[in-house]
Amino acid sequence: EVQLQASGGGSVQAGRSLQLSCAISGGTFDELAIAWFRQAPGKEREGVSCFSGKESSILYADSVKGRFTVARDRAKNTAYLQMDRLLPEDTAVYYCAADPHYYCSAYKFNMRFDYWGKGTQVTVSS
């Protein structure tokens, strides 16, 4: 069974950067689609990024394009979300998710992911 452990959240001022990590066990990047979601207080969960070992492209939400970048370390089986030029509206609990049958280009963020990690809080102050 795939297990995910997200970490790296914290409190920063607007304009600064944070890097989130998602340690993956029970699956590899070649087998899985990996996504980052976030949920702010009182708001619905929204997709942030999605990439799959079966696809070459990476999907980003419009709200984070040009500021957030995903990366993967195959040796550590860990995915990263580099968040630059953070805004107060980026404040949320961030989750990583994985699914062996997901296609980011086709499904966008609209389908359910099978595996979820516990969230990590990101707070951006103005």
Side-chain angles (χ1 to χ4, degrees):
E1 179 176 326
V2 176
Q3 293 185 326
L4 308 170
Q5 179 68 50
S7 61
S11 297
V12 296
Q13 289 188 318
R16 304 300 290 269
S17 299
L18 276 175
Q19 185 183 70
L20 305 183
S21 301
C22 178
I24 303 162
S25 60
T28 67
F29 287 119
D30 289 337
E31 300 166 331
L32 298 169
I34 305 293
W36 288 95
F37 286 81
R38 66 186 183 185
Q39 188 164 19
K43 294 188 177 181
E44 292 188 357
R45 186 174 62 199
E46 64 170 337
V48 174
S49 71
C50 184
F51 67 90
S52 167
K54 303 172 186 175
E55 302 175 287
S56 59
S57 60
I58 300 174
L59 177 67
Y60 292 98
D62 288 343
S63 58
V64 306
K65 277 182 184 176
R67 300 188 298 118
F68 290 13
T69 308
V70 297
R72 70 199 89 177
D73 185 326
R74 292 181 182 275
K76 295 181 178 180
N77 217 31
T78 298
Y80 301 94
L81 182 67
Q82 176 66 37
M83 305 185 294
D84 298 322
R85 289 181 282 138
L86 282 160
L87 303 170
E89 48 263 45
D90 294 321
T91 295
V93 178
Y94 284 71
Y95 301 88
C96 57
D99 194 300
H101 306 297
Y102 205 94
Y103 290 87
C104 304
S105 59
Y107 303 156
K108 309 301 181 188
F109 300 111
N110 299 324
M111 302 298 286
R112 185 182 63 87
F113 277 78
D114 280 349
Y115 303 102
W116 291 83
K118 292 183 180 179
T120 184
Q121 175 72 47
V122 172
T123 303
V124 185
S125 58
S126 58

